[in-house]
Amino acid sequence: MQKQTVTPGSEDTIVARGTALLASVRPRPAIALSPGWWQEKLIEWASTDADFRTKLLRFVDVLPALRSPTAVGEHVRQYFRDDRRAAIRLGASAAQRSVFRPVVSRVVRTGVFAMAERFIGAADAEEALPALRALLDGGTAYTVDLLGEATLSDPEADAYASRYLDLIRVLAAIHLPGDSLRQANVSVKLSALTPNFEPAAPGQTWLAVAPRLLPILDAAVAAGVFVNIDMEQYRYRDLVHEIFGAALQADPYRTYPHFGIVVQAYLRDAQAAVARVADLARARGVPITVRLVKGAYWDEEVAIAHQDCREAPVFAEKAATDASFERCTEALLGYFPNLRPAFGTHNARSIAQAMVRAEAAGVPREAVEFQMLYGMAESLREAVHGAGYRTRVYVPTGELIPGMAYLVRRLLENTSNESWLLQRDDDTPPDVLLRPPTPSAEAPLGQRAFTNATTAQFHERAVREAMQNALAAAKNGRGARHPLLIGGRAVTSAVLEEVHPAVEPAAVLGFVARAEAAHVQEAVRAARAAFPAWRDAPPSARAAVLRSAASLLSAKRFDFAAAMIMESGKPWREADGDVTEAIDYLNYYALEAERLGTGGSVESPFGESNRYSYEARGVAVAIAPWNFPLAIITGMASAALAAGCSVILKPAEQSPLVASLLAQLLLQAGAPAGAVSYLPGPGETVGKALVEHPDVDVIAFTGSNAAGLEILAGAAIVRPGQRNVKKVVLEMGGKNAIIVDDDADIDQAVEGVVASAFGYAGQKCSACSRVIVVGSAYRQFRSRLAAAVESLVVGPAEDPFTQVPGVISAEARDRIQRAIADGLRMGKLVARSSTPEGRGWFVAPHVLEDVPVSSSLAREEIFGPVLLLFEAKTFAEALAIAVDVPFALTGGLFSRHPRHIELAMREFRVGNLYINRKITGAIVGRQPFGGMAMSGAGDKAGGPDYVLNFMQPRTITENTMRRGFAPVG
Ligand code: NAD
């Protein structure tokens, strides 16, 4: 064979190096029917059968939470009874018989635990020592990572930190400082060091993380142990860099040469991350190690971005990630010796290119390291070691239950179609494996008929600054006067009310005119006058006004959010969510105007023409609550305008200012002068007068049950001069429950319940106020929930670190405090957080248990941060408790039991049911929102039926036959 000439750094050299590597890889076939063989089989089936892959991953995920052979047997049957493989079906049918269940349970558990042991080093550091020793004796270095549950509370963060201190102590037994092989090496995840790792608040997050991180760094520095900072989801990336940078600025860490950090090549801006670490190393004058990996959260990053209608931060294609890995390699080597390269990959091409590029860059072989995961690509690692490079194995240790997420990630990686390991099994020829990665041009994001607004990305500094600036401007602009708006004119009234900011009740945020009876008459007259032209405007023209309002609102999103933070005490993300929801309503109903403008479809036989069209009802009023001060009033008003109604905005007494900004914006966007009016004032006077006015045709109301029913009764009375039967659209309160099944993922359930119950201090109609836990999950759920609630950060809404703000008013605070006192009399306290001293009406989040299910506390809306905890023996009992209240707005279920999920879908009758997620945060066009029973009349906002509330259908039939002649078509 002709000898190839290769030049350093060229493609040929890379291929030659890779070929040599692959040639020395010795595959180790598993012995047939051994546990290892079964694992290979499962992985092989999962790689080729997407449905089996989903079932297997889900089953592995739930298994550790199954506390009895019956539960294991039941789940095996539920997950695998329809499988096409006879062996699996056999197991599933055996699981049906109770005599076989203990055996099935044992076999399955042993199998999955063996699979876990393949990827997870040991339950703890002490237990991992033999495996680590064996690695060292074979010439391979290690790094230990501690697997853990999601950190939901301060005690859990403390426990995680102290496990690291223990780890460093235990590793002393095999640690040789200064020896690149035997130096102990640990990998730390910063998000586990606080329950509130908040990218919107880097400064406070640092203050929360530092007391746990710095002792770990101190112990490492004292012993000469290497500390590597791991990377997690993209939204945390910059914050991890910032904390790492802040820690490394202080002595003695500034001069310590044994720190490292990860860069994930699958990120589009990965090279910038390399440069950022290089800047840090240069600034401190001491090198930093960079572990370059491809990245382990791809599915999650893609799903989250897709749900948020954004481009994902990761490359879509594997080849693009591989190419990025090579560019980052080049960049990383260019920063040598300030940056020390460590390449974490199992891909022979990626390894070969790193070797060749390092040589070309003159980086000595001993300064380059290759890292691989425990239990993966062992023979490849040996080949790399054989080529004279230091190799390091990443050894995760921890209990199986918290380790499950890790195991699922590894299985995902091993069963993904694009996994390099599989290609190797496929006997793909080396020249194909070693080809340079050539990504194809990326397809742009698919066009959808309706796209939701994206949320503000507060992990970006510029976005945080925009919000801070808007807040500062809102504070500077205090004291502004907000007149009424009638027929496009600003109208001042005799009474100017002071509006006190929820975040600073003693101050005056602004002044708002209070509408009087005469203004109601004037506004209805103006609305009536504007109505015919607006009704008859082409639907596209109405849609254009709404879209223009949406883009004006997008441009001012931070101003609107800041106004809500001040006026209604909404925390940053809640205020931002309110704005995105409002933008969504405007865009969604614009589309609806166009769709409904074409009418409905009816049959037209030969000789007859039938038309079914929709037309606006007339004058609408939108009577809104204060808790979604922008989104709800925008939703009601924009649906009315989309239909062709003119609309009068009647905001809640507590939140008139944001509504004033909205009314101005709608007029600015081109709504005709009389088609939008703004009439703030008390519900009992202004609201009532509007409801009873004979010339008002539609009342869209969102608020409490009591007010809603009063409005319904008031609207039913026909008054002199009235032309239409009034249409009333009612969205009212809730007493929402979440069921936590006994096989639920407790991390996920606690997080979801806390977010649902205490987000915006429980002041949401969709908030969870009851949680019902099934059987064996109760104790664990209760204790983790209690710790999580005690760790909540209660504080001012302006502070981005705040998780729970104050409530809306002194009256609300007193009412909620009375409910808590009642609850404490009837039941027991499970947990309570602390509250800050200072401005605002703070109520500590409370969890109570043993409150009778029949008490009014357990059946009526509290509208504050109070959560009642119930225990149910069975799932059926939990379901019965959940639905036994007068309301039926939202509900939730955390379960991994397919039959229970199905049952809930059928029997848990609420307007919006959420499974395995929080129960707040419905999104326009995806989760049309509204309740049943006493929660509402079934009109779903943000869905395909809502605009119809403001329209009336008309049918027109024309006989097209004249003297026996009928036109065709
Ligand atoms: P609320 O009922 O006190 O007031 C709502 C609106 O109705 C205000 O604008 C008020 O001025 C007006 N109003 C009150 N009495 C009136 C009357 N007799 N005639 C005409 N108008 C009258 O409610 P709130 O405190 O502002 O909001 C909290 C309530 O809203 C909670 O019960 C919550 O569950 C509910 N809510 C429901 C939804 C939903 O979509 N189902 C959404 C948000 C809030």
Side-chain angles (χ1 to χ4, degrees):
M1 209 174 89
Q2 202 190 343
K3 195 167 177 286
Q4 282 184 333
T5 42
V6 287
T7 45
S10 76
E11 260 311 308
D12 293 345
T13 325
I14 294 173
V15 173
R17 186 66 60 91
T19 310
L21 261 183
L22 288 174
S24 54
V25 170
R26 289 183 310 277
R28 298 176 190 152
I31 302 153
L33 297 179
S34 67
W37 183 86
W38 274 108
Q39 282 171 31
E40 301 288 331
K41 273 281 162 232
L42 288 179
I43 288 179
E44 188 188 314
W45 291 335
S47 319
T48 50
D49 176 344
D51 182 48
F52 182 75
R53 181 166 181 254
T54 306
K55 284 184 193 152
L56 180 69
L57 289 173
R58 289 190 168 180
F59 182 73
V60 166
D61 176 53
V62 70
L63 183 67
L66 305 180
R67 298 173 184 85
S68 70
T70 310
V72 175
E74 175 68 10
H75 282 73
V76 167
R77 200 169 69 80
Q78 292 285 327
Y79 279 73
F80 297 110
R81 66 182 155 191
D82 302 328
D83 200 82
R84 59 185 168 78
R85 279 153 285 259
I88 303 236
R89 250 194 344 263
L90 196 70
S93 69
Q96 203 168 353
R97 310 265 302 275
S98 59
V99 281
F100 293 137
R101 281 190 176 160
V103 181
V104 170
S105 169
R106 213 169 33 248
V107 169
V108 168
R109 271 182 185 278
T110 318
V112 173
F113 279 42
M115 193 135 82
E117 275 165 15
R118 175 174 171 170
F119 300 114
I120 298 177
D124 60 30
E126 203 94 46
E127 236 182 67
L129 280 180
L132 300 179
R133 269 204 190 94
L135 283 171
L136 293 175
D137 292 347
T140 296
Y142 67 85
T143 181
V144 177
D145 159 51
L146 295 182
L147 298 175
E149 288 162 328
T151 299
L152 302 174
S153 64
D154 285 314
E156 288 174 9
D158 289 338
Y160 186 77
S162 73
R163 281 172 67 208
Y164 268 98
L165 293 175
D166 274 356
L167 175 66
I168 290 171
R169 196 176 40 73
V170 169
L171 291 179
I174 52 170
H175 170 53
L176 204 59
D179 178 308
S180 53
L181 176 68
R182 291 182 181 270
Q183 179 186 27
N185 186 312
V186 299
S187 292
V188 181
K189 287 187 178 51
L190 296 186
S191 75
L193 294 174
T194 168
N196 194 16
F197 199 75
E198 178 48 78
Q204 285 121 305
T205 306
W206 159 250
L207 292 178
V209 166
R212 300 183 180 109
L213 176 64
L214 299 185
I216 298 173
L217 301 187
D218 287 338
V221 170
V225 167
F226 189 100
V227 179
N228 182 73
I229 302 300
D230 275 350
M231 274 298 162
E232 304 167 68
Q233 290 85 347
Y234 182 66
R235 62 182 183 278
Y236 294 155
R237 202 267 312 263
D238 287 359
L239 181 52
V240 170
H241 275 290
E242 251 168 77
I243 292 178
F244 184 63
L248 264 56
Q249 259 161 29
D251 285 326
Y253 323 116
R254 202 170 48 78
T255 52
Y256 189 64
H258 306 299
F259 285 131
I261 191 162
V262 169
V263 170
Q264 298 153 310
Y266 67 5
L267 295 178
R268 294 171 193 277
D269 60 356
Q271 270 171 277
V274 176
R276 185 171 181 173
V277 186
D279 286 347
L280 181 63
R282 195 178 319 110
R284 74 175 199 146
V286 177
I288 296 173
T289 299
V290 168
R291 180 200 295 158
L292 181 63
V293 302
K294 302 225 169 131
Y297 299 83
W298 191 88
D299 284 32
E300 188 179 334
E301 298 289 6
V302 170
I304 288 178
H306 191 249
Q307 287 169 15
D308 200 23
C309 296
R310 288 183 275 115
E311 188 182 49
V314 295
F315 292 108
E317 224 188 318
K318 181 80 169 67
T321 293
D322 290 343
S324 163
F325 191 89
E326 301 200 0
R327 289 193 301 273
C328 289
T329 301
E330 197 77 57
L332 181 50
L333 293 167
Y335 290 118
F336 182 82
N338 281 349
L339 296 187
R340 293 179 178 150
F343 299 98
T345 170
H346 303 136
N347 178 313
R349 158 82 202 187
S350 303
I351 294 172
Q353 65 85 34
M355 289 174 170
V356 171
R357 288 197 157 101
E359 276 164 25
V363 177
R365 204 168 271 217
E366 58 280 6
V368 179
E369 182 170 294
F370 289 93
Q371 301 192 0
M372 295 184 202
L373 298 173
Y374 184 76
M376 285 177 65
E378 282 166 18
S379 43
L380 180 64
R381 172 166 53 77
E382 281 163 17
V384 172
H385 181 65
Y389 288 89
R390 183 169 64 250
T391 54
R392 186 178 301 280
V393 170
Y394 186 94
V395 186
T397 59
E399 298 291 343
L400 186 55
I401 296 182
M404 237 352 106
Y406 178 84
L407 178 58
V408 168
R409 271 214 299 282
R410 291 291 75 81
L411 288 176
L412 261 177
E413 190 170 325
N414 276 304
T415 54
S416 118
N417 287 328
E418 289 176 301
S419 150
W420 182 82
L421 289 179
L422 274 172
Q423 290 183 19
R424 184 79 191 112
D425 286 349
D426 285 350
D427 292 331
T428 314
D431 61 322
V432 175
L433 283 177
L434 296 168
R435 261 184 212 155
T438 41
S440 42
E442 277 196 16
L445 278 183
Q447 279 294 316
R448 303 185 214 171
F450 167 69
T451 306
N452 295 93
T454 61
T455 55
Q457 303 297 296
F458 289 122
H459 58 259
E460 291 172 18
R461 181 188 293 273
V463 176
R464 290 196 296 276
E465 283 172 359
M467 182 63 119
Q468 296 286 16
N469 293 341
L471 265 171
K475 282 186 187 163
N476 282 339
R478 277 198 290 221
R481 287 160 187 255
H482 294 257
L484 314 174
L485 280 172
I486 299 174
R489 284 180 307 112
V491 176
T492 45
S493 72
V495 187
L496 266 187
E497 307 258 23
E498 287 182 352
V499 180
H500 299 278
V503 289
E504 197 182 346
V508 175
L509 188 57
F511 300 90
V512 66
R514 190 212 280 174
E516 307 287 336
H519 299 124
V520 171
Q521 295 299 340
E522 224 183 300
V524 175
R525 242 192 333 269
R528 178 58 61 192
F531 171 59
W534 183 241
R535 174 194 61 201
D536 297 339
S540 58
R542 296 199 299 267
V545 169
L546 296 181
R547 290 198 180 102
S548 153
S551 53
L552 286 172
L553 183 51
S554 304
K556 294 183 179 173
R557 66 182 300 161
F558 295 113
D559 298 326
F560 273 82
M564 282 186 275
I565 292 171
M566 299 293 292
E567 183 175 32
S568 309
K570 286 211 133 181
W572 280 36
R573 285 181 200 279
E574 305 276 356
D576 179 63
D578 214 311
V579 178
T580 52
E581 190 178 337
I583 297 170
D584 284 350
Y585 281 128
L586 290 161
N587 284 322
Y588 183 82
Y589 293 146
L591 262 181
E592 285 293 281
E594 288 164 344
R595 180 176 71 87
L596 296 169
T598 63
S601 96
V602 283
E603 298 298 321
S604 289
F606 193 45
E608 180 179 291
S609 156
N610 293 318
R611 238 174 58 200
Y612 190 71
S613 59
Y614 299 105
E615 196 171 86
R617 283 178 178 270
V619 174
V621 296
I623 303 182
W626 52 265
N627 67 330
F628 282 86
L630 179 63
I632 289 182
I633 200 160
T634 305
M636 296 192 290
S638 57
L641 291 171
C645 292
S646 29
V647 65
I648 300 168
L649 309 186
K650 205 315 266 167
E653 294 84 324
Q654 298 89 335
S655 57
L657 300 191
V658 169
S660 159
L661 301 179
L662 171 69
Q664 293 167 42
L665 183 129
L666 288 171
L667 291 172
Q668 194 191 341
V676 174
S677 292
Y678 166 70
L679 284 195
E684 295 71 20
T685 56
V686 181
K688 193 162 182 292
L690 284 167
V691 167
E692 294 176 356
H693 197 292
D695 234 1
V696 165
D697 306 296
V698 190
I699 300 140
F701 166 84
T702 308
S704 63
N705 194 256
L709 296 181
E710 200 179 321
I711 286 172
L712 186 66
I717 298 169
V718 177
R719 295 182 170 78
Q722 184 169 331
R723 277 171 290 196
N724 282 321
V725 174
K726 291 176 195 273
K727 166 87 182 176
V728 183
V729 183
L730 292 179
E731 314 273 349
M732 300 180 291
K735 186 71 186 175
N736 313 303
I738 292 179
I739 298 176
V740 177
D741 206 353
D742 59 1
D743 70 348
D745 176 338
I746 301 291
D747 276 356
Q748 194 187 46
V750 172
E751 217 177 328
V753 167
V754 168
S756 305
F758 303 114
Y760 193 32
Q763 303 173 109
K764 296 184 190 179
C765 54
S766 52
C768 169
S769 61
R770 300 177 295 144
V771 56
I772 307 155
V773 188
V774 180
S776 61
Y778 191 80
R779 276 192 37 222
Q780 196 195 0
F781 177 82
R782 182 189 185 280
S783 75
R784 293 198 68 201
L785 174 73
V789 170
E790 280 159 7
S791 306
L792 282 171
V793 178
V794 183
E798 311 136 86
D799 182 345
F801 198 58
T802 288
Q803 291 173 296
V804 182
V807 298
I808 189 74
S809 62
E811 299 82 66
R813 180 199 55 189
D814 297 345
R815 182 179 45 75
I816 300 164
Q817 297 288 23
R818 281 196 299 277
I820 292 170
D822 272 357
L824 289 172
R825 258 193 308 278
M826 285 184 279
K828 275 205 321 258
L829 180 70
V830 174
R832 170 179 43 212
S833 75
S834 56
T835 47
E837 299 290 318
R839 305 169 304 172
W841 311 112
F842 293 106
V843 178
H846 275 71
V847 182
L848 308 171
E849 67 185 347
D850 292 346
V851 172
V853 284
S854 56
S855 63
S856 61
L857 199 64
R859 297 174 63 76
E860 281 164 20
E861 192 176 40
I862 300 174
F863 222 57
V866 184
L867 177 66
L868 305 183
L869 182 60
F870 301 98
E871 184 174 2
K873 285 194 191 61
T874 62
F875 183 73
E877 187 189 335
L879 201 49
I881 298 174
V883 296
D884 185 27
V885 287
F887 298 100
L889 185 51
T890 64
L893 167 65
F894 286 93
S895 175
R896 289 178 283 191
H897 193 303
R899 204 165 47 78
H900 291 175
I901 292 176
E902 236 171 73
L903 198 64
M905 286 180 175
R906 225 176 29 239
E907 305 287 329
F908 198 161
R909 286 197 176 77
V910 287
N912 287 62
L913 178 68
Y914 298 92
I915 296 162
N916 290 325
R917 53 153 283 180
K918 63 177 181 171
I919 65 170
T920 51
I923 291 182
V924 172
R926 288 189 216 167
Q927 293 108 18
F929 186 79
M932 296 153 58
M934 284 299 149
S935 292
D939 309 301
K940 293 259 185 216
D945 302 316
Y946 192 72
V947 172
L948 285 174
N949 286 310
F950 299 85
M951 298 181 119
Q952 271 174 328
R954 294 175 63 193
T955 305
I956 298 170
T957 297
E958 183 186 355
N959 173 9
T960 53
M961 261 207 308
R962 307 259 166 95
R963 297 192 181 277
F965 165 74
V968 180

